[in-house]
Amino acid sequence: MPWTISSSLDDFRARAGGFLAAHPAENTVLLTITDRLAARGPHYYGDGVPVFGWWNAEPDGPVAGAFLRTPPFTPRLGLMPESAAAELATELATESAARPTGSATLTGVAGGAPAALAFGAAWTGATGTTSTVRTNERLYRLGELADPPRPPSGRARLAGADDRELLIRWFAEFADEVDIRIPNLATVVDDRTAAGQLHLWEDGGRPVAVAGASAVIAGMSRIGPVYTPGDARGRGYASGVTAAASAAALARGAAEVLLYTDLANPTSNSIYQQIGYRPVEDCVELAFGG
């Protein structure tokens, strides 16, 4: 089979690392996850053993697709042809059926829309489950950074140790609002603060918004999360802090600065385009049931 599946992060990085780095936008999530696993160990995202895979169109050909899974999270697909995504789903379904329980073990999948939908169709066909769209997202890449058209009052600054309690609360509120799970939330806040990755917008000396900018990996940095508490919204703070985090990523040497938006939120899709972000691809997260 052209898919090679392994539990070895070292093997994955050795075999697929060049492919991930050659397409940093489409593989942005895989790049950041593998970087954190390498720094923090295989159980950073949960107790389960991570699984990695790479795809070769020909047995001795170059890697042309990749995915990973960090249980309990669903598989994340990187760049790959739709045919490779369908083949992966079929292979994982066959492997699942051979286990003693004989039951499907995946609850969903996420990635670029064409590949994720092809995976979903093959998985449901092989397992008899159903598939529904959980979220539709759009990946953006920064072109030329522009100031917000209506600059907010206040200024940006790096978050520091004194902001820990506030950041932990805001990260938890953000996770609840967008219905995601952030494992090791306090550790994430501590790590990202120490690395100078979290930017606050202050107005009148009071923090009113936060934006993160990930470490530069393969020339890529990704913005997120971006969060403004409810009582401070509608004043342009998200635009201001996102522009500041984007500028910091560029200053750190990022050739590509990326971010995801929920397509159900027209406001965020609009404000990011106003400061210079341009669409790269649509992405989807599917949930399997039944």
Side-chain angles (χ1 to χ4, degrees), residues 26 59 76 92-93 102 117 135-136 146 161 166 183 188 213 222 238 280 288:
E26 295 86 349
R76 181 76 195 199
L92 294 179
L117 292 171
T135 57
N136 281 301
L166 174 69
V188 169
R222 191 171 69 253
V280 176
F288 302 143

Side-chain angles (χ1 to χ4, degrees), residues 39-122:
R40 279 293 192 168
H43 301 299
Y44 181 73
Y45 293 97
D47 293 334
V49 177
V51 177
F52 312 94
W54 56 93
W55 181 83
N56 309 78
E58 301 294 337
D60 297 321
V63 171
F67 90 100
L68 57 74
R69 185 187 181 202
T70 52
F73 295 97
T74 59
R76 181 76 195 199
L77 308 183
L79 180 65
M80 67 180 66
E82 293 175 50
S83 59
E87 187 176 326
L88 174 62
T90 301
E91 184 168 342
L92 294 179
T94 301
E95 175 192 318
S96 176
R99 294 174 185 168
T101 58
S103 62
T105 56
L106 298 186
T107 59
V109 70
L117 292 171
F119 183 105

